[in-house]
Every structure is written in structure tokens, then in C-alpha cells.
């Protein structure tokens, strides 16, 4: 399934450096505002140690991990909701993404900060304000259109106006739309309006290399963590500069470099997995001699919905799924031993797929 995380932030906070490290796409990165104008898009593999273990058992011709798409969006400044800087283009680009990864600068240094001084909580507030103001504009216009039809007795408009009133109250209170105590059905009603503050958000504190062993010892990052907790947003530390350096090294030199830097794995791996979780996604596997492959599905997807990730015909003609849990597949040494041990299950249309399930589908079209 195609899902996008938009990487956003004020100018000169290190988001393009992070994007370059993530995707090796070579997006422009420099010490001046609006270095990124048109959004850059890159697709990255989702790190998953389970893939290697499955491949060791099956010995396939190829291994295909799950993928995640990231978009590097132009830097935002105060007044973006009114068109300042590249505001209108910036906000339009965010609307097209499924989630927001906001990079906030937590390091001092020679690189110029657009606000004059480093303060990630202030920066977070600036972007909060601009996104909220833009959503207020969208909601007010939509309410003007639907209030008239709601008064005439139109049930759909009445339901929509009721939801919009809840969202508008939250926005006027300086809160994101997703804090407005909305039901699943409410969110579905609002989907056509592509509200910016309905999107899930991950905060990335861009720290210096010296802060890697103890990010919370950085006062800027500690304050950002507290602000993220208040908003219900996950927060992770990353040194964009170091991550870019790691990507430039030969593969065999990276483990020693990571050890010397005090990292168990690249921070990018943490970021990719965190964004995957932010989007409410999980993975199931198919494992055969031709390929071991990870498939991306929403958490809570049924077996037919999971089958559709391979091909829509699989969902239309779904009969049943043969399922082995990842743990059983690895512990017993593959499909046939798991089947002989009675650990292969036959599941129907109501089965809720679990993360890591190894699956085969029977279908008829």
C-alpha cells in the first residue's frame, strides 16, 4: 500500500540532510532558507531482522522488504498560512501526505537559525499555529457551505456540521483537530477535507553527535520530549549529520563507526520503524523458493484485505488463508515442519492478520 510521511520543519533545521541520509536521493541541502522548493520523494526499505531469518530457512531467489515513502517538503516560516515564504505550496504538499515527521533543531552551531536562536518548543509552536490557522480557514469555508443544507433537513450535512463544530472548537482553542474527541465515523466524514491537524505526527529532535550517548542531557531535546508528551506525539532523537556520514561509509565499516558513536543501529532505522508504527501499519510475510517478501497492511486488516496487498483479485476470490505465525515458522524450521507439527492454520474471511504472520492465500476468480 502506498503511504507517505512528509518531512517538515523550519528552514535550516536539518530535514533535507536527514532526507538525504534516509533515501540517498541527493536532495539539496545548504545553509540558506528554502533550499528545498519542490518536494523530493524517496522510497526506503523498512528494517526488519525477521526477513533475514526467513531467508536463511527458505533460501529464496530474492528477498523483498516492506517499503516506506518519505517526502522532503519546503521549509515553513511564520505566516505560511497567509502565503508567506512558500507557505501555500508547503501546506498543499503536506495535505497530500498520510503523516507528518517534523524535524526540530536541538543543536547549537554556526548554521543560521531562521528565528535567530535555537528553541525547538518555540519552533513546534510556530508550525502548530500555521497548520491550525490553515485548518480553521478550511473548516470555516466548509461549514458555510453545509450549514444551509443542514438547516433544510439534510441528514449528511447535519452530521458533518456537528463534527466540524467539534473540530472548530479545538482549533480555536489552539489544539489539533485530532484532539477533538472524534469517533472513527467522524474522521471518515472529515477525510475529503484533508485537514492538516488530523494527521499523526512524529517529532524528531535533531541533536549533535556529542548528545548521542545521553539525548536527555540536551536541555533542548528534553524540553521537546515534554512538549511531545503533552501533544500525544512520539519523539525520537537523531543526529542528521552523523546519519549522513554513516550512509557514505562502505557497508563493512558501518558497525565499528556505530559502536564508536554509541549507537546500536542507525538512527534512521529507528525513524523508519517509528513512522511505520505512526501510520498504523504492520507486516505479514510470504515465504517461498522464488522470494521471501514483506507486505504492508493496516493494523486490524482481515485476511481478504491482506490478500489485496498482493492483488485485488486475491481479495475478490478469497477462499481461505493458510497461516503460520512467524515464531512457529522460525522455531520449527519452515513451512513443512510447521504443517507437520499442526502449527499451520486455515483461516477464513473474518481472521484479523497478526504482525509477522507467514501466509498463503487460496482464491478463485
Amino acid at each position: 500500500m502506498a503511504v507517505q510521511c512528509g518531512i517538515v520543519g523550519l528552514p535550516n533545521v536539518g530535514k533535507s540532510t536527514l532526507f538525504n541520509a534516509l533515501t540517498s536521493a541527493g536532495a539539496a541541502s545548504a545553509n540558506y532558507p528554502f533550499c528545498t522548493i519542490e518536494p523530493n520523494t524517496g522510497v526506503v526499505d523498512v528494517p526488519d531482522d525477521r526477513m533475514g531469518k526467513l531467508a536463511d530457512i527458505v533460501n529464496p531467489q530474492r528477498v523483498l522488504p516492506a517499503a516506506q515513502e518519505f517526502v522532503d517538503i519546503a521549509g515553513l516560516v511564520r505566516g505560511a498560512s497567509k502565503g508567506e515564504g512558500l507557505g501555500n505550496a508547503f501546506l498543499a504538499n503536506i495535505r497530500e501526505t498520510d503523516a507528518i515527521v517534523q524535524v526540530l533543531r536541538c543543536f547549537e552551531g554556526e548554521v543560521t537559525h531562521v528565528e535567530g536562536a535555537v528553541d525547538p518548543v518555540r519552533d513546534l509552536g510556530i508550525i502548530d499555529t500555521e497548520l491550525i490557522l490553515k485548518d480553521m480557514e478550511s473548516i470555516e469555508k466548509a461549514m458555510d457551505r453545509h450549514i444551509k443544507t443542514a438547516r433544510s433537513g439534510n441528514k449528511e450535512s447535519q452530521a458533518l456540521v456537528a463534527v466540524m463544530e467539534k473540530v472548530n472548537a479545538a482549533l480555536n482553542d489552539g489544539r489539533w483537530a485530532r484532539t477533538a474527541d472524534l469517533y472513527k465515523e467522524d474522521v471518515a466524514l472529515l477525510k475529503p477535507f484533508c485537514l492538516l491537524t488530523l494527521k499523526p505526527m512524529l517529532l524528531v529532535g535533531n541533536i549533535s553527535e556529542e548528545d548521542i550517548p545521553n539525548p536527555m542531557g540536551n536541555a533542548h531535546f528534553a524540553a521537546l520530549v515534554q512538549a511531545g508528551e503533552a501533544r500525544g506525539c512520539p519523539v525520537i532523537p537523531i543526529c542528521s549529520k552523523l546519519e549522513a556520514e554513516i550512509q557514505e561509509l562502505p557497508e563493512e565499516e558501518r558497525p565499528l563507526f556505530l559502536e564508536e558513536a554509541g549507537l546500536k543501529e542507525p538512527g534512521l532505522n529507528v525513524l523508519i520503524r517509528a513512522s511505520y508504527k505512526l501510520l498504523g501499519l504492520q507486516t505479514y510475510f510470504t515465504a517461498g523458493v522464488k522470494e521471501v517478501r514483506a507486505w504492508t497492511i493496516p493494523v486490524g486488516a482481515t485476511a481478504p484485505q491482506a490478500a489485496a496487498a498482493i492483488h485485488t483479485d486475491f481479495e475478490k476470490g478469497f477462499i481461505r488463508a493458510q497461516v503460520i505465525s512467524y515464531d512457529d515458522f522460525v522455531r520449527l524450521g519452515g513451512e513443512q515442519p510447521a504443517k507437520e507439527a499442526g502449527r499451520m492454520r486455515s483461516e477464513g474471511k473474518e481472521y484479523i492478520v497478526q504482525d509477522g504472520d507467514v501466509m498463503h492465500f487460496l482464491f478463485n476468480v
Side-chain angles (χ1 to χ4, degrees):
M1 57 185 296
V3 288
Q4 286 187 338
C5 283
I7 301 179
V8 306
L10 298 180
N12 291 347
V13 297
K15 61 185 184 58
S16 291
T17 302
L18 181 63
F19 177 81
N20 289 347
L22 266 173
T23 64
S24 300
S29 174
N31 182 20
Y32 56 88
F34 309 125
C35 178
T36 302
I37 298 176
E38 294 299 324
N40 298 296
T41 300
V43 179
V44 302
D45 293 341
V46 177
D48 194 331
D49 292 339
R50 297 174 297 184
M51 296 287 291
K53 293 179 181 178
L54 291 174
D56 288 343
I57 294 170
V58 178
N59 193 26
Q61 295 174 17
R62 61 178 184 171
V63 177
L64 295 174
Q68 180 66 281
E69 189 169 344
F70 288 89
V71 184
D72 181 24
I73 296 172
L76 176 148
V77 294
R78 290 182 189 271
S81 59
K82 303 301 181 185
E84 292 293 327
L86 299 171
N88 290 328
F90 171 94
L91 297 167
N93 291 330
I94 297 178
R95 287 195 193 284
E96 297 172 7
T97 65
D98 300 286
I100 298 171
V101 175
Q102 185 175 164
V103 181
L104 297 125
R105 180 173 163 182
C106 297
F107 65 90
E108 303 287 348
E110 296 179 1
V111 178
T112 307
H113 192 291
V114 72
E115 288 290 319
V118 175
D119 184 343
V121 176
R122 175 207 59 211
D123 297 350
L124 178 60
I126 290 171
I127 292 185
D128 267 357
T129 298
E130 298 305 326
L131 299 186
I132 287 170
L133 286 173
K134 200 64 180 179
D135 277 355
M136 285 175 66
E137 180 183 311
S138 299
I139 283 291
E140 286 168 3
K141 286 180 180 177
M143 286 180 68
D144 286 344
R145 292 197 307 270
H146 287 277
I147 283 175
K148 293 178 182 178
T149 52
R151 287 173 178 166
S152 69
N154 184 290
K155 300 286 186 185
E156 291 182 6
S157 290
Q158 288 174 349
L160 185 56
V161 168
V163 174
M164 286 182 171
E165 286 175 343
K166 285 199 291 186
V167 169
N168 201 38
L171 295 172
N172 276 289
D173 197 31
R175 295 182 291 115
W176 279 45
R178 58 185 171 82
T179 69
D181 194 24
L182 301 172
Y183 296 104
K184 189 175 181 179
E185 297 78 11
D186 296 339
V187 175
L189 285 174
L190 292 168
K191 188 174 181 179
F193 302 97
C194 300
L195 296 179
L196 303 168
T197 61
L198 267 182
K199 299 179 187 296
M201 182 167 67
L202 169 68
L203 304 179
V204 175
N206 189 9
I207 59 175
S208 68
E209 190 171 343
E210 292 74 24
D211 292 321
I212 289 173
N214 179 28
M216 291 301 288
N218 177 320
H220 293 311
F221 181 74
L224 180 61
V225 168
Q226 188 174 5
E229 289 174 351
R231 288 166 168 78
C233 297
V235 185
I236 61 172
I238 280 186
C239 176
S240 294
K241 181 175 177 292
L242 183 74
E243 296 298 325
E245 292 173 1
I246 292 171
Q247 297 308 306
E248 292 175 357
L249 292 173
E251 200 72 43
E252 63 273 12
E253 295 180 18
R254 293 180 185 180
L256 179 60
F257 188 84
L258 286 168
E259 184 180 344
E260 291 176 348
L263 291 169
K264 294 180 180 178
E265 63 176 339
L268 298 181
N269 288 8
V270 178
L271 170 60
I272 295 166
R273 287 197 295 266
S275 66
Y276 202 69
K277 182 178 179 181
L278 184 73
L279 287 160
L281 303 176
Q282 66 179 13
T283 300
Y284 78 88
F285 302 106
T286 51
V289 292
K290 288 188 176 181
E291 67 177 27
V292 165
R293 184 163 182 168
W295 300 90
T296 300
I297 57 172
V299 173
T302 62
Q305 290 168 337
I310 300 176
H311 197 287
T312 53
D313 284 349
F314 282 32
E315 181 179 22
K316 293 174 184 175
F318 180 88
I319 299 173
R320 64 181 182 276
Q322 294 175 321
V323 184
I324 305 169
S325 74
Y326 168 80
D327 289 340
D328 285 341
F329 193 98
V330 172
R331 177 174 57 85
L332 296 167
E335 181 179 316
Q336 189 58 35
K339 186 176 182 180
E340 292 171 358
R343 304 306 296 174
M344 176 184 280
R345 312 186 308 276
S346 183
E347 301 286 0
K349 293 182 178 181
E350 303 304 315
Y351 176 66
I352 304 298
V353 178
Q354 302 301 301
D355 185 58
D357 278 349
V358 181
M359 306 183 75
H360 287 299
F361 299 102
L362 292 116
F363 67 100
N364 182 24
V365 290

